Amino acid sequence: MLKIAPSLLSADFAILGQEAEDIRLSGAEWLHYDVMDGIFVPNISFGIPVLKSFRKCTEMFIDAHLMITQPVRYVKEFCDAGADMVTVHMESDTPENITKALELIRAQGKLCGIVLKPNTRAEAALPWLDMVDMILVMTVEPGFGGQSFMADMMPKLARLRAWINERNPGCLLEVDGGVNKDTAKLCVENGADVLVAGSAVFKYKGKYKEAVDALR
Ligand code: DX5
Ligand code: ZN
């Protein structure tokens, strides 16, 4: 079943608790938590203490997307702070350390995943395909909400879908960046089962439920 994961990056940070409750009422399945360090991406968002407080506001599944260098240094803390799933960019450290980060997430009893930037080829995910719970394909350059969807990522998505079906059918395939009611359709057609949406949900002028329903 398709899951919708609204990205808190586009939420109103002054009322995060209320935003979480409104998203729960919208029927969205997950919450997406974008962590940026100003080095791996040219922007800084929020980190561990905010997640810890936010965790107290909601029982929803929190999918933490770490856009930070050497995430192996912090994954345990994100798990302890309440993330249910932690994903790390495969471009953010050596392959050995990426594997170590994934193992650390698993050891905390949480789900783990890898993320591919637009310029990273689908093949690069193969070494981790058997050990992850999710692969996240970026359809914008990570760093900011509100950018345009890169439709040329669809062949990559479809290839990953085929490999997942063959080798690790339980693994989820998530898309992040520029997802709206039109591009969502393309993502699903090419095999996505989790759609992240920031602006399409939080900037929607109306009830979040309408925005979330429109993505399905
Ligand atoms: C971008 C983030 C995304 C972002 C998506 O680096 O990873 O999760 O919030 O925002 P929209 O849906 O507005 O493109
Ligand atoms: Zn994200």
Side-chain angles (χ1 to χ4, degrees):
M1 196 196 74
L2 184 69
K3 294 184 202 317
I4 307 294
S7 163
L8 286 170
L9 194 63
S10 297
D12 182 346
F13 300 160
I15 49 161
L16 272 185
Q18 184 59 51
E19 294 278 51
E21 178 58 8
D22 290 346
I23 291 301
R24 186 184 68 79
L25 294 171
S26 78
E29 286 79 7
W30 286 8
L31 276 166
H32 184 81
Y33 188 83
D34 285 304
V35 181
M36 304 180 183
D37 67 353
I39 298 172
F40 184 71
V41 290
N43 195 8
I44 298 177
S45 57
F46 31 51
I48 296 155
V50 175
L51 178 58
K52 214 176 199 164
S53 300
F54 183 68
R55 179 73 279 179
K56 297 180 195 145
C57 307
T58 181
E59 288 182 357
M60 282 184 74
F61 185 98
I62 299 177
D63 153 35
H65 172 195
L66 304 191
M67 288 163 272
I68 65 176
T69 47
Q70 299 187 305
V72 67
R73 297 173 298 154
Y74 292 109
V75 287
K76 183 176 179 301
E77 286 174 73
F78 279 101
C79 292
D80 292 345
D84 296 292
M85 151 98 74
V86 178
T87 61
V88 296
H89 270 267
M90 39 176 297
E91 309 87 358
S92 62
D93 205 340
T94 61
E96 293 73 23
N97 280 346
I98 294 299
T99 302
K100 220 180 271 173
L102 295 169
E103 286 168 353
L104 272 174
I105 299 164
R106 266 290 160 71
Q108 300 308 304
K110 306 300 176 105
L111 302 183
C112 67
I114 48 164
V115 192
L116 283 72
K117 283 169 77 167
N119 287 334
T120 302
R121 290 159 53 87
E123 288 77 9
L126 286 173
W128 292 286
L129 185 59
D130 301 314
M131 69 171 295
V132 290
D133 301 294
M134 190 167 78
I135 296 178
L136 165 49
V137 172
M138 293 305 300
T139 40
V140 297
E141 280 302 333
F144 300 90
Q147 305 181 73
S148 313
F149 182 80
M150 298 167 73
D152 55 338
M153 293 297 117
M154 293 303 97
K156 176 157 113 183
L157 195 64
R159 297 190 73 187
L160 286 163
R161 174 83 269 162
W163 289 331
I164 286 173
N165 288 351
E166 209 173 287
R167 285 176 44 181
N168 184 4
C171 179
L172 295 166
L173 186 57
E174 184 178 56
V175 173
D176 184 5
V179 174
N180 57 36
K181 62 178 171 30
D182 303 317
T183 58
K185 202 167 168 278
L186 265 180
C187 296
V188 172
E189 281 168 6
N190 285 281
D193 31 39
V194 186
L195 304 181
V196 175
S199 354
V201 174
F202 287 103
K203 306 290 181 214
Y204 181 76
K205 307 247 179 293
K207 290 245 182 290
Y208 291 160
K209 183 176 189 317
E210 287 170 20
V212 168
D213 286 347
L215 295 172
R216 296 193 196 274

